[in-house]
Structures are given as C-alpha cells and as structure tokens.
C-alpha cells in the first residue's frame, strides 16, 4: 500500500496529474508483441485471449495468478520484491529470453510500475540498442506509471554497460554471477 501511495505522489509531482486519471491495467509497449501491466491484467484471461497473449511473465514476490493448460498460457514467475536492494539484474537473461520470439507477451508485477517496467526497459535496451534513459522514456510514453525504483535504475545503467561490453549478446553475459549491492550516501555517514 505504501508503494502505491509513493508512486501516486511521485507521478503527480512529475506529470502534474492524478495517477489514476491515466492508469490502465496494461499498455501495449511494442505493437502486437509486448504489453506491460499490473496483476489485474494477468488475471483477465479473456483480455489476454482477445489480445492473443500466449506468454505471461510475472515479476512479484507473492504471485497469485496461475494458468491451466486450457488457458494456453506459458507462465514464468520471477519472485522478487520491489525494494532498492533487490538484485533484479540476475534475472535479465532468462526474462529477456522468455520475452523473445514471435509470441505475444504480458510482463507484469503488482502495479506495473517498477519491477515489470525494469524488465521491459531492459528488453527495449537490448532489442533496439537504446541507452537506458532513452528506453525508459520510450516505455514511460506508452505506460506513464513506469518508474523503476532507484536500485533497479542503477542496475539498468549497469546493464547498459554490459550490453556494450558483450556486444549485445545476452547469452554470454554472466547474469547469475553479478553481485550487486545498493549503496546510498546515508550509509557513509
């Protein structure tokens, strides 16, 4: 609940309008390919079917949705909290490979603002070779509430350097070996 309050205040400060005026359960990020949304978007199986979405990537610490074989949904779950010190970059390789291909994909977390947008921004960076800030703007233009927490933003900047270092070949980036630590200035005083 505190996270939603924080996002609402931050959104109003940045955009000058109420968070919920423009809020949707999901937004199309790449036409006919990739949607970014919240947990309610993942629960609306009729909407998923109507959009032709056959893959759902859940990026949450306590996912509640599940799919049966008859739903025709491939479901991947990354259990992660939306906190600055969480090491989300270690999951980039498996998440981007899950999104890749010809199938239509919904990436979601609880609100569709931080965890899932971090994964989608990373995907955009990889596929288009956009810089971190440019990819974030691209995603935020399509889903205005997309706002990774500061720790995730730092990891996206690290990912930008890794993409260049490894010539955009995510299959050779050692994601599982990356040890990332969130440090704030207050920890030095």
């Amino acid at each position: 609940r505190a996270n939603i309050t924080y996002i609402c205040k931050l959104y109003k400060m940045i955009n000058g309008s109420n968070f919920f005026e423009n809020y949707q359960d999901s937004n199309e990020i790449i036409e006919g390919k990739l949607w970014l949304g919240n947990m309610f978007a993942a629960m609306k199986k009729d909407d998923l079917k109507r959009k032709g979405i056959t893959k759902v990537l859940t990026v949450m610490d306590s996912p509640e949705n599940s799919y049966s074989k008859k739903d025709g949904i491939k479901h991947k779950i990354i259990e992660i909290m939306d906190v600055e010190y969480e090491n989300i970059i270690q999951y980039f390789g498996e998440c981007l490979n899950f999104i890749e291909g010809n199938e239509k994909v919904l990436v979601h977390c609880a609100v569709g603002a931080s965890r899932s947008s971090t994964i989608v921004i990373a995907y955009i960076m990889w596929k288009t070779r956009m810089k971190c800030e440019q990819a974030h703007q691209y995603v935020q233009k399509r889903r205005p509430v997309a706002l990774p927490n500061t720790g995730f933003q730092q990891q996206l900047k690290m990912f930008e350097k890794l993409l260049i270092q490894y010539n955009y070949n995510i299959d050779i980036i050692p994601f599982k070996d990356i040890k990332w630590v969130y440090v704030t200035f207050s920890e030095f005083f």
Side-chain angles (χ1 to χ4, degrees):
R1 179 87 180 123
N3 226 2
I4 293 173
T5 304
Y6 162 77
I7 291 168
C8 291
K9 286 179 181 177
L10 197 57
Y11 183 85
K12 187 167 187 168
M13 184 178 73
I14 293 169
N15 296 305
S17 64
N18 189 312
F19 177 83
F20 291 104
E21 287 175 16
N22 302 312
Y23 189 74
Q24 298 176 20
D25 285 339
S26 69
N27 300 88
E28 194 170 21
I29 305 300
I30 298 175
E31 189 175 344
K33 167 65 182 159
L34 182 61
W35 283 260
L36 171 58
N38 63 23
M39 62 185 172
F40 301 112
M43 292 177 192
K44 296 178 179 175
K45 295 177 183 177
D46 290 341
D47 280 357
L48 297 175
K49 191 172 193 165
R50 184 177 46 77
K51 293 173 182 174
I53 293 172
T54 56
K55 286 183 170 181
V56 173
L57 176 57
T58 300
V59 191
M60 289 177 56
D61 50 329
S62 54
E64 296 189 16
N65 54 326
S66 61
Y67 305 94
S68 67
K69 287 198 184 274
K70 70 179 179 117
D71 293 324
I73 301 287
K74 294 176 189 156
H75 189 207
K76 182 170 193 62
I77 300 171
I78 302 295
E79 291 195 36
I80 189 168
M81 295 183 301
D82 184 12
V83 291
E84 286 82 3
Y85 56 81
E86 189 74 77
N87 184 4
I88 196 168
I89 196 170
Q90 69 180 316
Y91 301 109
F92 282 5
E94 62 186 285
C95 290
L96 304 189
N97 280 317
F98 182 79
I99 296 168
E100 185 62 358
N102 295 324
E103 294 180 80
K104 297 178 181 182
V105 183
L106 168 69
V107 180
H108 81 93
C109 56
V111 179
S114 184
R115 291 168 283 194
S116 56
S117 70
T118 299
I119 298 299
V120 170
I121 291 166
Y123 182 79
I124 298 296
M125 290 168 63
W126 172 53
K127 291 305 288 183
T128 66
R129 296 185 178 214
M130 283 185 196
K131 301 286 186 203
C132 179
E133 289 300 319
Q134 190 181 8
H136 184 199
Q137 290 171 1
Y138 174 89
V139 171
Q140 200 168 46
K141 184 176 181 183
R142 287 149 184 81
R143 183 161 179 85
V145 299
L147 185 64
N149 72 44
T150 56
F152 295 169
Q153 289 176 27
Q154 290 175 10
Q155 291 173 76
L156 284 165
K157 289 176 182 158
M158 179 191 294
F159 182 55
E160 181 179 300
K161 292 175 184 170
L162 287 168
L163 284 172
I164 293 166
Q165 179 182 347
Y166 288 93
N167 200 26
Y168 291 83
N169 185 347
I170 63 166
D171 293 328
I172 62 173
I173 297 175
F175 290 109
K176 295 291 183 188
D177 297 333
I178 296 173
K179 304 296 181 223
W180 182 84
V181 178
Y182 178 72
V183 179
T184 64
F185 289 115
S186 63
E187 293 177 27
F188 292 108
F189 300 104

